[in-house]
Amino acid sequence: MQIIGPALSVGVIALTAHILRVVSPKFGQLVSEEANRYGYLRHIHSRIITNAEEIAFYGGHKVEMQQLRQAYNRLVNQMTTIFNQKLWFIMLEQFFMKYVWSGTGMIMVSLPILTGSDVGSARTRDTAITESRVSERTQYLTTARNLLISAADAIERLMSSYKEIVSLAGYTHRVAGMMDVFEETAQGVYCKSSVIENDQSSGIIEFRNGKPIAKGRIIYSDDPENMSINLRAVPVVTPNCDIVVPKLTLCIEPGVHLLITGPNGCGKSSLFRILSGLWPIYAGELQIPRPVKDVPCMFYIPQRPYMSIGSLCDQIIYPDTRDDMKRKQITENELRSILKLVSLEHIAQRDSFDVVRDWKDILSGGEKQRMAIARLFYHKPRYALLDECTSAVSIDVESSIYEIAKGMGITLLTITHRPTLWKYHTHILEFDGLGSWQFRKMNVDEQQKELFLS
């Protein structure tokens, strides 16, 4: 009889442990996949943060949002799967521990009582009364102990809930701050920690409550006869309110291929940021053609091209999607022709258009720049903003690219230090780095600068 109790407990524990091991989900693999998807989501966030300016120039927010949502939904689905698996497994585990094991313990305790002999009434009345009092005190002690344990558990739960609420408040504060920034940006309110004072802005920037006010206007022209870009007294101002150029006035007509020169930090790339709408206009007017469906007004190509996540086709049509490509009725043969124009047809022969690779690491610097030019030929905008976009491309391929772009009717706005590209432009915009500038037509000698230097 003394062996039955321990044997019963060991047998029940072994049986329930075996059942739990057999039916247990593969939590190791599930958690590993969750960590993998979480890391991929963080990777996409990091790419967007690192290449935020290039993505904004390209207008690739829709593509990036789609990839971000896909990664987020994959993570949510994996976490939901883990929660569902944990739910029924924890219910089964708690059932075994709270009911099966407790029931086994009650059987072990009741076995001596059910199988024990009757002791009779040999005890005296005083002894019975004494034992009754001891049992009552023991009952009270046990009840008080259970109440104290329950109270301590309730207080612990309250403290844990308070910590969780505080953590939730911290996340909520960050999200609310992000939403406030989005709202202020939509309203044209830009606030930086480092701004100049009112007396240092020379009246170009107006401040309100310590914040600069973007008073400039952007006018979209719908007149098909007027597709020019006009800047009227537009200052070039950095986000920290540093005035690079006090006033800039010029008119760029279609076919006016503009070469932009000047020392570092004089406002060449800043002008492209203003034209693309990345930086606010604090004064003056900017008139640009309204973008027409499937024909962008301007297309920016930086010196460091951005390679998105996706296939070879996705690199060429970025920021378009496959649906946009089908809607434009562009075939893969046309994409092969575009790659041939930039001397990248070997990539299409080596990999199909649907192969997904890490193109940022596979392609060389010159190949990435030529891939960016392929995007230009795919979209065929009215104006191309070229910011040292062929610095790693050979001169012969570079010359062919500029000739093809001009043949497509694309007006070139180029920032370059290569004299070989001067002959492809008709006008020049010179910054001196001190706030002054000069916009004029290039003469024949300047267009033949390559010959003089050689």
Side-chain angles (χ1 to χ4, degrees), residues 301-371:
I301 302 180
Q303 183 178 8
R304 186 190 63 175
Y306 171 64
M307 297 289 108
S308 65
I309 298 175
S311 62
L312 177 61
C313 178
D314 296 330
Q315 306 308 312
I316 302 174
I317 67 176
Y318 186 86
D320 278 1
T321 60
R322 293 293 185 97
D323 295 335
D324 298 327
M325 174 182 166
K326 293 178 180 178
R327 180 172 48 80
K328 294 179 179 179
Q329 298 180 351
I330 296 179
T331 62
E332 289 188 357
N333 291 331
E334 294 181 74
L335 296 183
R336 293 181 188 276
S337 301
I338 292 175
L339 289 179
K340 189 175 182 180
L341 294 177
V342 294
S343 302
L344 290 180
E345 64 272 13
H346 62 279
I347 298 179
Q349 297 172 358
R350 182 186 64 194
D351 302 316
S352 67
F353 286 102
D354 297 325
V355 174
V356 178
R357 298 186 183 278
D358 191 358
W359 302 103
K360 176 176 63 69
D361 297 329
I362 291 178
L363 300 179
S364 64
E367 289 176 334
K368 285 188 283 190
Q369 288 189 344
R370 281 179 281 166
M371 185 66 70

Coordinates of all heavy atoms in Angstrom, one line a residue, residues 301-371:
I301 N 18.1 61.4 -61.0 CA 19.1 60.3 -60.9 C 20.3 60.8 -60.1 O 21.0 61.6 -60.5 CB 19.5 59.9 -62.3 CG1 18.3 59.5 -63.1 CG2 20.5 58.7 -62.2 CD1 18.7 59.0 -64.5
P302 N 20.5 60.2 -58.9 CA 21.6 60.6 -58.0 C 22.9 60.0 -58.4 O 22.9 59.0 -59.2 CB 21.1 60.2 -56.6 CG 20.3 59.0 -56.9 CD 19.6 59.2 -58.2
Q303 N 23.9 60.4 -57.8 CA 25.2 59.8 -58.0 C 25.3 58.4 -57.4 O 26.0 57.5 -58.0 CB 26.3 60.7 -57.4 CG 27.8 60.1 -57.7 CD 28.8 61.0 -57.1 OE1 28.5 62.0 -56.4 NE2 30.1 60.8 -57.4
R304 N 24.6 58.2 -56.4 CA 24.5 56.8 -55.7 C 23.1 56.3 -56.0 O 22.2 56.5 -55.2 CB 24.8 56.9 -54.2 CG 24.9 55.6 -53.5 CD 24.9 55.8 -52.0 NE 23.7 56.4 -51.5 CZ 23.4 56.6 -50.3 NH1 24.2 56.3 -49.3 NH2 22.2 57.2 -49.9
P305 N 22.9 55.5 -57.1 CA 21.6 55.0 -57.4 C 21.0 54.1 -56.3 O 21.8 53.4 -55.6 CB 21.8 54.3 -58.7 CG 23.1 54.7 -59.2 CD 23.9 55.1 -58.0
Y306 N 19.7 54.1 -56.2 CA 19.1 53.3 -55.2 C 18.6 52.0 -55.9 O 17.8 52.1 -56.9 CB 17.9 54.0 -54.6 CG 17.0 53.2 -53.7 CD1 17.5 52.6 -52.5 CD2 15.7 52.9 -54.0 CE1 16.7 51.8 -51.7 CE2 14.9 52.1 -53.3 CZ 15.4 51.6 -52.1 OH 14.6 50.8 -51.3
M307 N 19.0 50.9 -55.4 CA 18.5 49.6 -55.9 C 17.5 49.0 -54.9 O 17.8 48.8 -53.7 CB 19.7 48.6 -56.0 CG 20.8 49.0 -57.0 SD 20.2 48.9 -58.7 CE 20.1 50.6 -59.1
S308 N 16.3 48.9 -55.4 CA 15.2 48.4 -54.6 C 15.2 46.9 -54.4 O 16.0 46.2 -55.0 CB 13.8 48.8 -55.2 OG 13.6 48.1 -56.4
I309 N 14.4 46.4 -53.5 CA 14.2 44.9 -53.3 C 13.3 44.4 -54.4 O 12.2 44.9 -54.5 CB 13.7 44.7 -51.9 CG1 14.6 45.2 -50.8 CG2 13.5 43.2 -51.7 CD1 14.1 45.1 -49.4
G310 N 13.8 43.4 -55.1 CA 12.9 42.8 -56.1 C 13.7 42.2 -57.2 O 14.9 42.0 -57.1
S311 N 13.1 42.0 -58.4 CA 13.7 41.3 -59.5 C 14.4 42.4 -60.4 O 14.4 43.6 -60.1 CB 12.6 40.6 -60.3 OG 11.6 41.5 -60.8
L312 N 14.9 41.9 -61.5 CA 15.6 42.7 -62.5 C 14.6 43.7 -63.1 O 14.8 44.8 -63.4 CB 16.3 41.9 -63.5 CG 17.0 42.6 -64.7 CD1 18.1 43.6 -64.1 CD2 17.6 41.7 -65.7
C313 N 13.4 43.1 -63.4 CA 12.3 44.0 -64.0 C 12.0 45.1 -63.0 O 11.8 46.2 -63.4 CB 11.1 43.1 -64.3 SG 9.7 44.0 -64.9
D314 N 11.9 44.8 -61.7 CA 11.5 45.8 -60.7 C 12.6 46.9 -60.7 O 12.3 48.1 -60.4 CB 11.4 45.2 -59.3 CG 10.2 44.2 -59.3 OD1 9.3 44.4 -60.0 OD2 10.3 43.2 -58.5
Q315 N 13.9 46.6 -60.9 CA 14.9 47.6 -60.9 C 14.7 48.6 -62.1 O 14.9 49.8 -62.0 CB 16.3 47.0 -61.0 CG 16.6 45.9 -60.0 CD 16.3 46.4 -58.6 OE1 16.8 47.5 -58.2 NE2 15.6 45.6 -57.8
I316 N 14.3 48.1 -63.3 CA 14.2 48.9 -64.5 C 13.0 49.8 -64.4 O 13.1 51.0 -64.7 CB 14.1 48.1 -65.7 CG1 15.4 47.2 -65.8 CG2 14.0 48.9 -67.0 CD1 15.3 46.2 -67.0
I317 N 11.9 49.3 -63.9 CA 10.6 50.1 -63.9 C 10.4 50.9 -62.7 O 9.4 51.6 -62.6 CB 9.4 49.1 -64.1 CG1 9.2 48.2 -62.9 CG2 9.6 48.3 -65.4 CD1 8.0 47.3 -63.0
Y318 N 11.3 50.8 -61.7 CA 11.1 51.5 -60.4 C 10.9 53.0 -60.7 O 11.7 53.6 -61.5 CB 12.3 51.3 -59.5 CG 12.2 51.9 -58.1 CD1 11.6 51.2 -57.1 CD2 12.7 53.1 -57.8 CE1 11.5 51.7 -55.8 CE2 12.6 53.7 -56.5 CZ 12.0 52.9 -55.6 OH 11.9 53.4 -54.3
P319 N 10.0 53.7 -60.1 CA 9.1 53.3 -59.0 C 7.8 52.7 -59.4 O 6.8 52.6 -58.6 CB 8.9 54.6 -58.2 CG 8.9 55.6 -59.2 CD 9.9 55.2 -60.3
D320 N 7.6 52.3 -60.7 CA 6.4 51.6 -61.2 C 6.4 50.2 -60.6 O 7.4 49.6 -60.2 CB 6.4 51.6 -62.7 CG 5.9 52.9 -63.3 OD1 5.6 53.8 -62.5 OD2 5.8 53.0 -64.5
T321 N 5.2 49.6 -60.6 CA 5.0 48.2 -60.3 C 4.7 47.4 -61.5 O 4.6 48.0 -62.6 CB 3.8 48.1 -59.3 OG1 2.6 48.6 -59.9 CG2 4.1 48.9 -58.0
R322 N 4.6 46.1 -61.4 CA 4.3 45.3 -62.5 C 2.9 45.6 -63.1 O 2.7 45.6 -64.4 CB 4.3 43.8 -62.1 CG 5.7 43.3 -61.7 CD 6.6 43.2 -62.9 NE 7.8 42.6 -62.6 CZ 8.1 41.3 -62.8 NH1 7.2 40.6 -63.4 NH2 9.3 40.8 -62.5
D323 N 2.0 46.0 -62.3 CA 0.6 46.4 -62.8 C 0.8 47.7 -63.6 O 0.1 47.8 -64.7 CB -0.3 46.6 -61.6 CG -0.6 45.3 -60.9 OD1 -0.5 44.2 -61.5 OD2 -1.0 45.4 -59.7
D324 N 1.6 48.6 -63.2 CA 1.8 49.8 -64.0 C 2.4 49.5 -65.3 O 2.1 50.1 -66.4 CB 2.6 50.8 -63.2 CG 2.0 51.3 -61.9 OD1 0.8 51.4 -61.9 OD2 2.7 51.6 -60.9
M325 N 3.4 48.6 -65.3 CA 4.0 48.2 -66.5 C 3.0 47.6 -67.5 O 3.1 47.9 -68.7 CB 5.2 47.2 -66.2 CG 5.9 46.6 -67.4 SD 7.1 45.5 -66.9 CE 7.5 44.6 -68.5
K326 N 2.2 46.7 -67.0 CA 1.2 46.1 -67.9 C 0.2 47.1 -68.4 O -0.3 47.1 -69.5 CB 0.4 45.0 -67.1 CG 1.3 43.8 -66.7 CD 0.5 42.8 -65.9 CE 1.4 41.6 -65.6 NZ 0.7 40.6 -64.8
R327 N -0.2 48.1 -67.5 CA -1.1 49.1 -68.0 C -0.5 50.0 -69.1 O -1.2 50.4 -70.0 CB -1.5 50.0 -66.8 CG -2.5 51.1 -67.1 CD -3.0 51.8 -65.8 NE -1.9 52.1 -64.9 CZ -1.1 53.2 -65.1 NH1 -1.3 54.0 -66.1 NH2 -0.1 53.4 -64.2
K328 N 0.8 50.2 -69.0 CA 1.5 50.9 -70.1 C 1.8 50.1 -71.3 O 2.3 50.6 -72.3 CB 2.8 51.5 -69.5 CG 2.7 52.6 -68.5 CD 4.0 53.0 -68.0 CE 3.9 54.1 -66.9 NZ 5.2 54.6 -66.4
Q329 N 1.5 48.8 -71.2 CA 1.6 47.9 -72.3 C 3.1 47.8 -72.8 O 3.4 47.8 -74.0 CB 0.7 48.2 -73.5 CG -0.8 48.2 -73.2 CD -1.6 48.5 -74.4 OE1 -1.1 49.0 -75.4 NE2 -2.9 48.3 -74.2
I330 N 4.0 47.7 -71.8 CA 5.4 47.6 -72.1 C 5.8 46.1 -71.9 O 5.5 45.5 -70.8 CB 6.2 48.5 -71.1 CG1 5.9 50.0 -71.4 CG2 7.7 48.2 -71.3 CD1 6.7 50.9 -70.6
T331 N 6.5 45.5 -72.8 CA 6.8 44.1 -72.8 C 8.3 43.9 -72.4 O 9.0 44.9 -72.3 CB 6.6 43.5 -74.2 OG1 7.5 44.2 -75.1 CG2 5.2 43.7 -74.7
E332 N 8.6 42.7 -72.2 CA 10.0 42.4 -71.8 C 11.0 42.7 -72.9 O 12.1 43.0 -72.6 CB 10.1 40.9 -71.3 CG 9.4 40.6 -70.0 CD 9.7 39.3 -69.5 OE1 10.4 38.5 -70.2 OE2 9.2 38.9 -68.3
N333 N 10.5 42.5 -74.1 CA 11.4 42.8 -75.3 C 11.8 44.3 -75.3 O 12.9 44.7 -75.6 CB 10.7 42.5 -76.6 CG 10.6 41.0 -76.8 OD1 11.4 40.2 -76.2 ND2 9.6 40.5 -77.5
E334 N 10.9 45.2 -74.9 CA 11.2 46.6 -74.8 C 12.2 46.8 -73.6 O 13.0 47.7 -73.7 CB 9.9 47.4 -74.6 CG 8.9 47.4 -75.8 CD 7.7 48.2 -75.5 OE1 7.8 49.4 -75.6 OE2 6.6 47.6 -75.3
L335 N 12.0 46.1 -72.5 CA 13.0 46.2 -71.4 C 14.4 45.8 -71.9 O 15.4 46.4 -71.5 CB 12.5 45.4 -70.2 CG 11.2 45.8 -69.6 CD1 10.9 45.0 -68.3 CD2 11.2 47.3 -69.2
R336 N 14.4 44.7 -72.7 CA 15.7 44.3 -73.2 C 16.3 45.4 -74.1 O 17.6 45.6 -74.1 CB 15.6 43.0 -74.0 CG 15.1 41.8 -73.2 CD 15.0 40.5 -74.0 NE 14.4 39.4 -73.3 CZ 15.1 38.6 -72.5 NH1 16.4 38.8 -72.4 NH2 14.5 37.6 -71.9
S337 N 15.5 46.0 -74.9 CA 16.0 47.1 -75.7 C 16.6 48.2 -74.9 O 17.6 48.8 -75.2 CB 14.9 47.6 -76.7 OG 14.4 46.6 -77.5
I338 N 15.9 48.5 -73.8 CA 16.4 49.6 -72.9 C 17.7 49.2 -72.3 O 18.6 50.1 -72.2 CB 15.3 49.9 -71.8 CG1 14.1 50.5 -72.4 CG2 15.9 50.8 -70.7 CD1 12.9 50.7 -71.5
L339 N 17.8 48.0 -71.8 CA 19.1 47.5 -71.3 C 20.2 47.6 -72.3 O 21.4 47.9 -72.0 CB 19.0 46.1 -70.7 CG 18.1 45.9 -69.4 CD1 18.0 44.5 -69.0 CD2 18.7 46.8 -68.3
K340 N 19.9 47.3 -73.6 CA 20.9 47.4 -74.6 C 21.4 48.8 -74.8 O 22.5 49.0 -75.1 CB 20.3 46.8 -75.9 CG 21.3 46.6 -77.0 CD 20.7 45.9 -78.2 CE 21.8 45.7 -79.3 NZ 21.2 45.0 -80.5
L341 N 20.5 49.8 -74.6 CA 20.9 51.2 -74.8 C 21.9 51.6 -73.8 O 22.7 52.5 -74.1 CB 19.6 52.1 -74.7 CG 18.6 52.0 -75.8 CD1 17.4 52.9 -75.5 CD2 19.2 52.3 -77.1
V342 N 21.9 51.0 -72.6 CA 22.9 51.3 -71.6 C 23.9 50.3 -71.4 O 24.6 50.2 -70.3 CB 22.1 51.6 -70.2 CG1 21.2 52.8 -70.3 CG2 21.3 50.4 -69.8
S343 N 24.0 49.4 -72.3 CA 25.1 48.3 -72.3 C 25.0 47.4 -71.1 O 25.9 47.0 -70.5 CB 26.5 48.9 -72.4 OG 26.6 49.8 -73.5
L344 N 23.7 47.0 -70.8 CA 23.5 46.0 -69.7 C 22.7 44.8 -70.2 O 22.1 44.1 -69.4 CB 22.7 46.7 -68.6 CG 23.4 47.8 -67.8 CD1 22.5 48.3 -66.7 CD2 24.7 47.2 -67.1
E345 N 22.8 44.5 -71.5 CA 22.0 43.4 -72.0 C 22.5 42.1 -71.5 O 21.8 41.1 -71.4 CB 22.0 43.4 -73.6 CG 23.4 43.2 -74.2 CD 24.1 44.5 -74.4 OE1 23.7 45.5 -73.8 OE2 25.2 44.5 -75.1
H346 N 23.8 42.1 -71.1 CA 24.4 40.8 -70.5 C 23.7 40.4 -69.2 O 23.7 39.2 -68.9 CB 25.9 41.0 -70.3 CG 26.2 42.0 -69.3 ND1 26.3 43.4 -69.6 CD2 26.6 42.0 -68.0 CE1 26.6 44.1 -68.6 NE2 26.8 43.2 -67.6
I347 N 23.2 41.3 -68.5 CA 22.5 41.0 -67.2 C 21.2 40.3 -67.5 O 20.8 39.3 -66.9 CB 22.2 42.3 -66.4 CG1 23.5 42.9 -66.0 CG2 21.4 41.9 -65.1 CD1 23.4 44.2 -65.2
A348 N 20.5 40.7 -68.6 CA 19.2 40.1 -68.9 C 19.5 38.7 -69.5 O 18.7 37.7 -69.4 CB 18.5 40.9 -70.0
Q349 N 20.7 38.5 -70.2 CA 21.0 37.2 -70.7 C 21.4 36.2 -69.6 O 21.2 35.0 -69.6 CB 22.1 37.3 -71.7 CG 21.8 38.1 -72.9 CD 22.9 38.4 -73.8 OE1 24.1 38.0 -73.5 NE2 22.7 39.0 -75.0
R350 N 22.1 36.8 -68.5 CA 22.5 35.9 -67.4 C 21.4 35.6 -66.5 O 21.2 34.5 -66.0 CB 23.6 36.7 -66.6 CG 24.2 35.9 -65.5 CD 25.2 36.8 -64.7 NE 24.5 38.0 -64.2 CZ 25.1 39.1 -63.7 NH1 26.4 39.1 -63.8 NH2 24.4 40.1 -63.2
D351 N 20.5 36.6 -66.2 CA 19.4 36.4 -65.2 C 18.1 36.8 -66.0 O 18.1 37.7 -66.7 CB 19.6 37.3 -64.0 CG 20.8 37.0 -63.2 OD1 21.2 35.8 -63.1 OD2 21.5 37.9 -62.8
S352 N 17.0 36.1 -65.7 CA 15.8 36.4 -66.2 C 15.2 37.7 -65.5 O 15.7 38.1 -64.5 CB 14.8 35.3 -66.1 OG 14.5 35.0 -64.8
F353 N 14.2 38.2 -66.1 CA 13.6 39.5 -65.5 C 12.9 39.2 -64.2 O 12.5 40.1 -63.4 CB 12.6 40.1 -66.5 CG 13.3 40.8 -67.6 CD1 13.4 40.2 -68.8 CD2 13.9 42.1 -67.4 CE1 14.0 40.9 -69.9 CE2 14.5 42.7 -68.4 CZ 14.6 42.1 -69.7
D354 N 12.6 37.9 -63.8 CA 11.8 37.6 -62.6 C 12.7 37.1 -61.5 O 12.2 36.8 -60.4 CB 10.8 36.5 -62.9 CG 9.8 37.0 -63.9 OD1 9.4 38.2 -63.9 OD2 9.3 36.1 -64.8
V355 N 14.0 37.0 -61.7 CA 15.0 36.5 -60.7 C 15.2 37.6 -59.6 O 15.5 38.8 -60.0 CB 16.3 36.1 -61.3 CG1 17.3 35.8 -60.2 CG2 16.1 34.9 -62.2
V356 N 15.0 37.3 -58.4 CA 15.2 38.3 -57.3 C 16.5 38.1 -56.7 O 16.9 37.0 -56.3 CB 14.1 38.1 -56.2 CG1 14.3 39.0 -55.0 CG2 12.7 38.3 -56.8
R357 N 17.3 39.2 -56.7 CA 18.7 39.1 -56.2 C 18.9 40.4 -55.4 O 18.2 41.4 -55.4 CB 19.7 39.0 -57.3 CG 19.6 37.7 -58.1 CD 20.8 37.6 -59.1 NE 20.7 36.5 -59.9 CZ 21.1 35.3 -59.6 NH1 21.6 35.1 -58.4 NH2 21.0 34.2 -60.4
D358 N 20.0 40.4 -54.6 CA 20.5 41.6 -53.9 C 21.3 42.5 -54.9 O 22.5 42.4 -54.9 CB 21.3 41.2 -52.7 CG 21.5 42.4 -51.8 OD1 21.0 43.5 -52.1 OD2 22.1 42.2 -50.7
W359 N 20.6 43.2 -55.7 CA 21.2 44.0 -56.8 C 22.2 45.0 -56.3 O 23.1 45.4 -57.0 CB 20.2 44.6 -57.7 CG 19.2 43.6 -58.2 CD1 18.0 43.4 -57.8 CD2 19.5 42.7 -59.3 NE1 17.4 42.4 -58.6 CE2 18.3 41.9 -59.5 CE3 20.6 42.4 -60.1 CZ2 18.2 40.9 -60.5 CZ3 20.5 41.5 -61.1 CH2 19.3 40.7 -61.3
K360 N 22.0 45.5 -55.1 CA 22.9 46.5 -54.5 C 24.3 45.9 -54.4 O 25.3 46.7 -54.5 CB 22.4 46.9 -53.1 CG 23.3 47.9 -52.3 CD 22.6 48.3 -51.1 CE 22.4 47.1 -50.1 NZ 23.7 46.6 -49.6
D361 N 24.5 44.6 -54.1 CA 25.8 44.0 -54.0 C 26.3 43.3 -55.2 O 27.5 43.2 -55.4 CB 25.8 43.0 -52.8 CG 25.5 43.7 -51.5 OD1 25.8 44.9 -51.3 OD2 24.8 43.0 -50.6
I362 N 25.3 42.9 -56.1 CA 25.7 42.2 -57.3 C 26.3 43.1 -58.3 O 27.3 42.9 -59.0 CB 24.5 41.4 -57.8 CG1 24.2 40.2 -56.9 CG2 24.8 40.8 -59.2 CD1 23.0 39.4 -57.3
L363 N 25.6 44.2 -58.6 CA 26.0 45.2 -59.6 C 27.2 46.0 -59.2 O 27.2 46.4 -58.0 CB 24.8 46.1 -60.0 CG 23.6 45.3 -60.5 CD1 22.5 46.4 -60.9 CD2 23.9 44.5 -61.8
S364 N 28.0 46.4 -60.1 CA 29.1 47.3 -59.8 C 28.6 48.7 -59.8 O 27.5 49.0 -60.1 CB 30.2 47.1 -60.8 OG 29.8 47.5 -62.1
G365 N 29.5 49.6 -59.4 CA 29.1 51.0 -59.3 C 28.7 51.6 -60.7 O 27.6 52.2 -60.8
G366 N 29.4 51.3 -61.7 CA 29.0 51.7 -63.1 C 27.8 51.1 -63.6 O 26.9 51.7 -64.2
E367 N 27.6 49.8 -63.2 CA 26.3 49.1 -63.7 C 25.1 49.6 -62.9 O 24.0 49.8 -63.5 CB 26.5 47.6 -63.4 CG 27.4 46.9 -64.3 CD 27.6 45.4 -63.9 OE1 27.4 45.1 -62.8 OE2 27.9 44.6 -64.8
K368 N 25.3 50.0 -61.7 CA 24.1 50.6 -61.0 C 23.8 52.0 -61.5 O 22.6 52.3 -61.7 CB 24.5 50.7 -59.5 CG 24.4 49.4 -58.7 CD 24.6 49.6 -57.2 CE 26.0 49.8 -56.9 NZ 26.2 49.7 -55.4
Q369 N 24.8 52.7 -61.9 CA 24.5 54.0 -62.6 C 23.8 53.9 -63.9 O 22.9 54.6 -64.3 CB 25.8 54.8 -62.7 CG 26.3 55.4 -61.4 CD 27.5 56.4 -61.6 OE1 28.1 56.4 -62.6 NE2 27.8 57.1 -60.5
R370 N 24.2 52.9 -64.7 CA 23.6 52.6 -66.0 C 22.2 52.1 -65.8 O 21.3 52.3 -66.6 CB 24.4 51.6 -66.8 CG 25.6 52.3 -67.5 CD 26.4 51.3 -68.2 NE 27.3 50.5 -67.4 CZ 27.9 49.4 -67.8 NH1 27.7 49.0 -69.0 NH2 28.7 48.8 -67.0
M371 N 22.0 51.3 -64.7 CA 20.6 50.8 -64.4 C 19.7 52.0 -64.1 O 18.5 52.0 -64.5 CB 20.6 49.9 -63.2 CG 19.3 49.2 -62.9 SD 18.7 48.1 -64.2 CE 19.9 46.8 -64.0

